[in-house]
Amino acid sequence: MSQPVELHGRLFHPFISDKRILERTKELAAELNAVVGLETPLALGILNGAILFHSDLIRAFDFSVEVAYLRTRSYSGMKSSGKVEIEWPDDLSVTGRHVVLVEDIVDSGRTLVALTEELLKRGAARVTSVVLLDKPEARVVPYKPDFSGFEIPNAFVIGYGLDFDGLGRNLSSIYQVVEQ
Ligand code: IMP
């Protein structure tokens, strides 16, 4: 990953390697192993950004887990629209469940605040959030994830599930924009 990548004419430089991501993901799974008791939680992956993180994280769990996904939207290009749309799947029930929310990144905080409210409204017994990346300086609404992989500066990143207008999700490592 030593080379920069170019997407839609913008340059991104190497930021967090695939090796470091996987090491940290295994540490996060170990921390979760310690808080999940005998229950079988529902690991809810947020599409599309959390696809790779979710799949690596659940494979590192020691406990049994059920898996589900839902889609949210709030970003266009490198900017948050400020509105969170949640597409709730018809067959998803969270009543009485411990939901482990798996998200790629917390930025303004709006997505995880909206999702947590929605899950509790729909009867989830407990919500635990796990995010790979946290940009605390970008917060617009107060939100602190229960588990976080890396705190990063407020600059746009791509790779390992994160995209810039549809591109970059398939990169194994994370890259940061050279100039905002
Ligand atoms: P929030 O609601 O502002 O916290 O934003 C959460 C969502 O915005 C994430 O799930 C991402 O899809 C997107 N997002 C925020 N920051 C970035 C970034 O640096 N790169 C790519 N997507 C981002």
Side-chain angles (χ1 to χ4, degrees):
M1 69 167 291
S2 50
Q3 298 299 315
V5 297
E6 195 180 323
L7 301 177
H8 297 303
R10 299 294 299 263
L11 211 57
F12 296 81
H13 59 62
F15 186 49
I16 309 175
S17 71
D18 48 356
K19 185 167 169 280
R20 186 68 197 107
I21 295 168
L22 204 55
E23 278 168 7
R24 186 70 189 114
T25 301
K26 288 182 178 160
E27 287 170 9
L28 288 171
E31 290 173 35
L32 272 147
N33 288 336
V35 302
V36 172
L38 294 175
E39 64 202 322
T40 298
L42 182 68
L44 186 59
I46 310 310
L47 299 172
N48 292 324
I51 42 170
L52 300 185
F53 177 48
H54 184 266
S55 75
D56 283 335
L57 186 72
I58 59 176
R59 280 180 289 174
F61 286 157
D62 276 348
F63 48 87
S64 72
V65 68
E66 282 180 40
V67 167
Y69 302 90
L70 65 69
R71 185 183 302 275
T72 62
R73 273 199 210 91
S74 63
Y75 248 66
S76 165
M78 291 193 195
K79 291 220 160 53
S80 170
S81 71
K83 254 191 17 224
V84 182
E85 288 167 40
I86 301 174
E87 281 180 28
W88 191 273
D90 290 342
D91 59 352
L92 178 61
S93 166
V94 294
T95 314
R97 303 297 305 271
H98 178 189
V99 178
V100 176
L101 254 183
V102 184
E103 175 63 311
D104 52 358
I105 188 164
V106 206
D107 184 60
S108 70
R110 289 191 189 101
T111 303
L112 283 168
V113 166
L115 273 173
T116 306
E117 278 172 8
E118 186 67 24
L119 289 163
L120 295 174
K121 198 177 88 192
R122 288 177 182 260
R126 181 176 169 199
V127 179
T128 302
S129 60
V130 193
V131 305
L132 181 65
L133 305 172
D134 184 4
K135 291 182 188 168
E137 292 157 27
R139 221 56 108 243
V140 173
V141 291
Y143 184 81
K144 191 168 168 14
D146 297 304
F147 296 91
S148 148
F150 303 94
E151 278 199 2
I152 63 169
N154 189 10
F156 198 77
V157 289
I158 51 123
Y160 194 69
L162 293 144
D163 76 310
F164 172 38
D165 270 348
L167 295 182
R169 293 197 199 277
N170 58 314
L171 298 164
S172 323
S173 299
I174 293 173
Y175 297 76
Q176 190 180 53
V177 71
V178 172
E179 276 169 34
Q180 290 275 54

